[in-house]
């Protein structure tokens, strides 16, 4: 993990305190089981879209050209 200071000029003590908080939060987070699908994987899964019927062409088809939820 890389941490970059983008604003200001922290003292070494301030930087150490911020890193301690970040590391404590990372250690407290529950580990994800291997192979578990993430939200991004589920979002990009093509079967999510293919499971729905696509709109049929017609005079008002332009109003139905959204991704079904």
């Amino acid at each position: 993990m890389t941490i970059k200071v983008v604003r200001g000029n922290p003292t070494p003590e301030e930087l150490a305190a911020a890193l301690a908080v970040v590391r404590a939060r990372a250690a407290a987070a529950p580990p994800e089981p291997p192979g578990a699908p993430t939200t991004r994987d589920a979002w990009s899964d093509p079967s999510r879209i293919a499971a729905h019927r696509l709109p049929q062409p017609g005079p008002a088809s332009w109003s139905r050209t959204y991704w079904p939820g």
Side-chain angles (χ1 to χ4, degrees):
M1 174 182 2
T2 303
I3 296 180
K4 180 175 155 182
V5 177
V6 294
R7 185 182 292 173
N9 190 11
T11 65
E13 293 82 15
E14 291 171 335
L15 192 55
L19 288 175
V21 170
V22 170
R23 291 188 70 179
R25 291 288 303 233
E32 292 184 18
T38 61
T39 305
R40 184 173 188 184
D41 291 338
W43 174 257
S44 62
D45 184 13
S47 67
R48 181 183 68 85
I49 297 170
H52 303 288
R53 241 179 101 219
L54 295 175
Q56 297 299 316
S61 63
W62 64 269
S63 65
R64 298 184 309 263
T65 57
Y66 65 92
W67 290 109

